[in-house]
């Protein structure tokens, strides 16, 4: 298990950051809500993954496939750089140290059963290796970041593409919303939701994720 992430400007030696809590946002892109036949939420949907779920691209991923179908969800992930509570939208950007790409691996059938029963999603979202994470890059200006496009290829076939500006709840809104209830701490991560195109992964698949010119990483499924 890896409880540290690396933050780099792409040139100097990466800084190591200890990971605290891992918050995840559900239902944050309209086409994904439609493919899941869900409704647009009035407020961000938040769930947690344990930090033991973190996994980097250098590991072969082992999933509890006996529990059902595992789906890939590529997401922009934020690294909180300083501790804060009740953060204003205008200040939110200054609390983010960097961004990475992550894959929120999900036991989809288990999640459906839990949703139907109104139960927490943890067992469908928090299993070992369920939080794929790349190296973090330093945060650019908000305008520059809004234009970032990211993608996921499964066995060299493009399955998901997303753009930061397509989030239903944008990044300052997420930081403000979360920090009104929970103190955000240095080292916390926020998985910000997945665009459409989620689908099944199987043993021996290769999941590649990227932001052109900035991040590219491959996860091998064992
Ligand atoms: Zn997700």
């Amino acid at each position: 298990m890896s409880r540290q992430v690396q933050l780099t400007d792409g040139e100097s030696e990466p800084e190591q950051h200890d990971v605290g809590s891992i918050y995840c946002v559900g239902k944050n892109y309209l086409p994904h809500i439609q493919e899941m036949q869900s409704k647009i939420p009035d407020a961000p949907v938040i769930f947690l993954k344990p930090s033991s779920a973190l996994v980097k691209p250098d590991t072969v991923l082992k999933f509890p496939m006996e529990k059902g179908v595992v789906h890939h969800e590529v997401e922009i992930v934020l690294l909180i750089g300083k501790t804060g509570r009740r953060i204003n939208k205008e200040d939110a950007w200054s609390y983010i140290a960097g961004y990475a790409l992550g894959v929120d691996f999900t036991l989809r059938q288990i999640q459906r059963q839990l949703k139907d029963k109104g139960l927490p999603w943890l067992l469908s979202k928090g299993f070992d290796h369920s939080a794929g994470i790349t190296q973090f890059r330093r945060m650019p200006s908000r305008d520059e970041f809004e234009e970032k496009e990211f993608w996921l290829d499964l066995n060299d076939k493009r399955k998901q593409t997303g753009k930061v500006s397509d989030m239903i709840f944008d990044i300052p809104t997420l930081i403000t919303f979360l920090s009104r209830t929970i103190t955000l701490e240095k080292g916390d991560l926020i998985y910000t939701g997945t665009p459409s195109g989620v689908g099944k992964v199987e043993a021996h698949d290769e999941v590649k994720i990227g932001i052109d010119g900035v991040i590219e990483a491959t996860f091998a499924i064992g």
Side-chain angles (χ1 to χ4, degrees):
M1 308 291 169
S2 174
R3 311 281 171 93
Q4 280 193 326
V5 290
Q6 286 79 41
L7 173 65
T8 178
D9 57 12
E11 284 159 21
S12 31
E13 250 327 83
E15 288 170 21
Q16 303 290 325
H17 285 249
D18 290 324
V19 173
S21 298
I22 305 177
Y23 300 102
C24 303
V25 181
K27 306 184 188 183
N28 206 20
Y29 290 85
L30 188 58
H32 175 60
I33 293 175
Q34 288 164 340
E35 75 181 346
M36 299 302 292
Q37 296 174 315
S38 279
K39 291 200 182 99
I40 300 175
D42 316 323
V45 174
I46 309 289
F47 59 93
L48 277 165
K49 285 180 186 274
S51 60
S52 56
L54 269 185
V55 67
K56 295 193 183 123
D58 52 9
T59 312
V60 175
L61 277 53
K62 300 273 187 204
F63 295 137
M65 302 271 198
E66 73 284 358
K67 295 196 189 301
V69 170
V70 175
H71 274 191
H72 56 75
E73 297 189 353
V74 64
E75 311 197 359
I76 294 280
V77 185
L78 307 173
L79 171 65
I80 297 298
K82 60 180 182 186
T83 295
R85 63 191 292 265
R86 299 184 184 280
I87 300 165
N88 295 323
K89 272 196 190 178
E90 305 76 65
D91 298 333
W93 214 255
S94 70
Y95 284 82
I96 308 167
Y99 69 100
L101 278 181
V103 188
D104 165 16
F105 288 103
T106 302
L107 276 162
R108 191 66 75 197
Q109 292 152 321
I110 302 279
Q111 186 195 27
R112 211 153 277 147
Q113 290 165 13
L114 294 168
K115 273 184 180 172
D116 287 349
K117 292 180 186 162
L119 293 172
W121 297 359
L122 178 62
L123 295 177
S124 67
K125 292 285 198 178
F127 52 92
D128 291 354
H129 291 177
S130 65
I133 195 75
T134 68
Q135 205 173 52
F136 281 79
R137 305 299 292 248
R138 288 196 191 283
M139 215 56 192
S141 71
R142 187 170 171 199
D143 286 347
E144 192 185 322
F145 196 61
E146 292 276 325
E147 294 304 311
K148 297 269 184 230
E149 295 184 347
F150 56 101
W151 49 262
L152 178 147
D153 289 351
L154 180 67
N155 303 325
D156 293 323
K157 222 172 145 192
R158 183 98 353 144
K159 293 286 184 180
Q160 293 193 266
T161 53
K163 192 173 180 188
V164 170
S165 58
D166 289 340
M167 289 181 192
I168 294 173
F169 299 105
D170 64 16
I171 289 169
T173 302
L174 294 174
I175 301 267
T176 299
F177 178 82
L178 259 171
S179 71
R180 248 185 246 151
T181 309
I182 305 168
T183 298
L184 285 177
E185 296 184 310
K186 182 174 160 45
D188 287 349
L189 306 184
I190 305 175
Y191 281 63
T192 56
T194 196
S196 61
V198 302
K200 186 178 181 179
V201 296
E202 289 179 308
H204 315 299
D205 280 349
E206 218 178 59
V207 175
K208 192 183 275 186
I209 55 177
I211 295 175
D212 290 338
V214 190
I215 293 172
E216 193 171 299
T218 303
F219 293 94
I221 316 295

